[in-house]
Amino acid sequence: AAKAAGKSCVRTAGHAIDSAMGRRAQLAADLPAAIEQEQFRVVYQPVAGVEERRILGLEALVRWDHPVLGTVPPDEFIELAEADGLIVPLQQWVLRTATADFADLLAGGRDLKLGVNVSVRHVQAGCLAPDVAQALADSGVPPDRLMIEVTESIMLDAEDRLQSDLSTLRDMGCIISLDDFGRGYSSLAYLARLPVDVLKMDREFIGGIETDPRGAALVAAVVELGRTLGMDVVAEGVETAGQLHALRDMKCRYVQGWLLGRPMAAQDLPAFMAAFDPAVFDTRLPNLDTGVHL
Ligand code: C2E
Ligand code: MG
Ligand code: MG
Ligand code: MG
């Protein structure tokens, strides 16, 4: 079947891969200096409570401001940093920056939680729990405000270590969430073995919730699974009012996505939260997407 697809397709694909490799190689080559020069920034995306009808938390998401290529998304460089051992200094920087920004918000009297994504390479390097503890101590953020987000796309050789690190963090008071839940193939196995408080349902499932009855049934089943296990469930990638209302009807309590708010700079958060309109939870409003991509 691949042969029947025709030679021109193969050539086109080959060309696309070549230029992708060029960019990838450039990013890999530039990464050490970028970390040294701190060419990164952290943006924050709101997470809302459907019952509370307000913003309950923020997820820290890193961006690379490349001097030539412009803003580079984490999906393009986290993997490179992981391959190079650079993930630890990068992650330390993210932890320090995000907790410092967050401490300012808490000082303003806000009741919020902060989610930070972590890499299993950091776990393998043996310093995730101490680095998190350090960032909390330096910033003064209480541990029970911090949610550690791990993805299941983790190598099995680190699993014992991961289990013990997450347990350490949980004993400190941190919240543990399993990110991109449902995307991989080992979600249920991880759920059985890791100390998890929160399930973040992958946005792939949310996209079809209004149009695909099977997709909707799956989402409802994950919400029910969370309830059975005593875990909170967050739906990621909520883009439309219809999706939000379907999730609300399924009793999914926490939502994150462009409908509620795009990732934004820390300095823009107070104004965003002041302007946040809980009416989004009530009726079928038009999409509030501002079209601003960060
Ligand atoms: P994630 O943790 O699952 O983060 C959610 C991603 O979905 C973010 O992409 C966010 O911008 C995007 N998103 C949010 N709402 C919507 C929506 O309504 N529609 C769509 N289409 N997308 C939405 P982003 O910022 O590009 O990050 C991608 C991934 O990179 C993250 O996925 C996370 O796994 C990883 N990442 C980000 N920051 C860090 C970090 O500091 N450290 C590590 N280790 N990984 C990070
Ligand atoms: Mg995440
Ligand atoms: Mg996710
Ligand atoms: Mg992810």
Side-chain angles (χ1 to χ4, degrees), residues 42 44 60 62 89-99 116-117:
V42 180
Y44 300 90
V62 67
L90 176 62
Q91 192 73 64
Q92 286 169 338
W93 182 86
V94 171
L95 277 165
R96 272 202 311 275
T97 305
T99 50
V116 177
N117 296 284

Side-chain angles (χ1 to χ4, degrees), residues 59-61 116-117 149 151 177 179-180 200 236 256:
E59 177 173 10
L61 297 160
V116 177
N117 296 284
E149 304 195 5
T151 50
S177 86
D179 206 346
D180 303 340
K200 294 195 79 171
E236 298 192 299
Q256 177 178 1

